[in-house]
Amino acid sequence: MSEDGIVERPEQWLARPAIGQLMPSTGSVLFGRRTFERYAGSLGLDDTRNLVVGSHPVVARPRTEMLQGDTRRVLNALKSVPGDDLHVVGSLTLVRSLLRWRLLDEISLLIHPVAAGRGMLLDRRHLQLISMCARDGGVLEANYRVRYAATAAPSTALVSTGRWGGTRSRDRVASTVRPAVRTHA
């Protein structure tokens, strides 16, 4: 995200590639179709299980699965499966849908010291800051817990089994409880 809140197309306002900084070193990663198609070639996707959500198929890549069916139901079912955390990288449209469906627990933002000027914003009104730290080059990493308005409670206070978040299962469906759902934008 830029300092003026823009989360869209960081390659247009950053001198160095930003999306690669968001990729976890291991784990399962959920992408929207457009984000996957735009960045898959420049990301190191060999060490992650890559799940793509979209109504149109994507070019097949190793360790990539296209999730099919009703997106909300598929993601709700995926979240209820015990296992390691699942990261959502970029994919603003997908993140907005996940927030609307109450499927995100945490959001991590890398805030770059640059004004993008214009573009899409992420509504942060329902996010509660849980930590912030400085990174190289003046970048701030801000971690938020999602607070859904109807309950006025953080999502982690809701049913705690089957959360998405930070680590990953390699070649199988994980068999442990997922502690959190995290998105990286």
Side-chain angles (χ1 to χ4, degrees):
M1 181 171 87
S2 65
E3 68 183 13
D4 54 354
I6 305 302
V7 291
E8 179 184 31
R9 296 191 181 232
E11 72 277 2
Q12 293 180 351
W13 45 267
L14 278 182
R16 54 186 157 73
I19 195 91
Q21 298 173 14
L22 304 175
M23 287 294 295
S25 57
T26 61
S28 295
V29 181
L30 182 64
F31 293 96
R33 180 190 54 83
R34 288 183 303 220
T35 300
F36 181 79
E37 287 176 343
R38 186 176 297 131
Y39 298 110
S42 63
L43 298 174
L45 301 178
D46 298 336
D47 295 329
T48 59
R49 176 182 177 211
N50 306 294
L51 307 170
V52 181
V53 175
S55 57
H56 303 291
V58 297
V59 175
R61 297 184 70 87
R63 302 190 50 78
T64 300
E65 303 167 43
M66 183 75 184
L67 300 179
Q68 299 177 347
D70 178 89
T71 303
R72 183 177 183 175
R73 285 185 179 181
V74 168
L75 294 176
N76 205 13
L78 184 60
K79 184 176 178 180
S80 68
V81 173
D84 294 330
D85 296 339
L86 178 66
H87 296 271
V88 181
V89 174
S91 306
L92 182 59
T93 302
L94 176 59
V95 168
R96 286 179 170 169
S97 294
L98 292 169
L99 286 168
R100 188 174 56 253
W101 298 331
R102 297 173 175 243
L103 292 174
L104 285 181
D105 300 318
E106 293 181 13
I107 293 180
S108 295
L109 297 173
L110 294 181
I111 304 168
H112 295 268
V114 63
R118 62 182 181 166
M120 295 177 87
L121 301 168
L122 177 66
D123 182 5
R124 293 182 286 162
R125 290 179 292 176
H126 302 292
L127 303 180
Q128 176 186 11
L129 184 66
I130 54 177
S131 68
M132 182 177 273
C133 67
R135 292 178 132 199
D136 292 341
V139 175
L140 295 176
E141 181 177 347
N143 297 296
Y144 299 89
R145 182 170 292 118
V146 180
R147 296 182 62 88
Y148 293 106
T151 61
S155 60
T156 54
L158 303 174
V159 179
S160 62
T161 58
R163 294 289 170 200
W164 299 347
T167 55
R168 97 168 171 147
S169 166
R170 280 221 178 259
D171 296 313
R172 60 183 170 72
V173 174
S175 60
T176 59
V177 175
R178 297 175 194 259
V181 178
R182 296 187 178 122
T183 184
H184 305 272

